[in-house]
Amino acid sequence: MMVAKLTPYISSEDARTQAEFYKDSLGGEILSVMTFGQVQGTTEANKDKIMHLVLSVAGGNEIFLSDSFVPVSGERSIAMALAYDTEDAAREAFTNLLEGGQVKFPFEQQAWGSYYGEAVDKFGVTWQIVKQM
């Protein structure tokens, strides 16, 4: 059986701003940034656009982001799921991600015993936040 690491990759209309928001909301750091200006032949208009950004959040989970050259639709058929060890940490992440966003499913205790909620952030990304049992 082959083993592979799955890393979310987000196409964004403003990757730098979106990465900063996630860094501040979830705790973390931007590990690396490569712009299109670092590649030969890039136009002046595109030189500051993000080609590849690596973001570490919530204890070492990596997310990749890049600027899109076409409009990004708000609704996506994918969600980012983060599981926390404590209710306080989960609730804080959920609350932080709501800045400029909306509640899809309130963060509250569920019938199965865990706390769970879904938030759509201001960039249109759905986040599933859970406090592990």
Side-chain angles (χ1 to χ4, degrees), residues 3 22 34 38 40 50 56 82-83 86 98 106 118 121 123:
V3 176
Y22 295 150
M34 182 177 189
Q38 293 172 267
Q40 247 181 353
I50 302 298
S56 175
L82 280 175
T86 69
L98 286 175
E118 289 185 29
D121 70 28
F123 301 101

Side-chain angles (χ1 to χ4, degrees), residues 50-73:
I50 302 298
M51 177 182 264
H52 183 71
L53 183 147
V54 179
L55 173 66
S56 175
V57 295
N61 298 289
E62 287 186 353
I63 301 172
F64 296 165
L65 294 98
S66 67
D67 283 324
S68 176
F69 287 97
V70 296
V72 176
S73 67

Side-chain angles (χ1 to χ4, degrees), residues 17-90:
T17 298
Q18 194 166 352
E20 286 290 337
F21 176 73
Y22 295 150
K23 177 181 74 81
D24 295 342
S25 295
L26 303 172
E29 65 180 309
I30 294 173
L31 301 177
S32 67
V33 177
M34 182 177 189
T35 65
F36 282 97
Q38 293 172 267
V39 178
Q40 247 181 353
T42 299
T43 64
E44 187 65 26
N46 292 327
K47 72 178 178 100
D48 292 327
K49 285 191 171 277
I50 302 298
M51 177 182 264
H52 183 71
L53 183 147
V54 179
L55 173 66
S56 175
V57 295
N61 298 289
E62 287 186 353
I63 301 172
F64 296 165
L65 294 98
S66 67
D67 283 324
S68 176
F69 287 97
V70 296
V72 176
S73 67
E75 282 299 313
R76 301 198 168 132
S77 62
I78 191 168
M80 307 290 277
L82 280 175
Y84 287 87
D85 291 333
T86 69
E87 179 189 343
D88 287 343

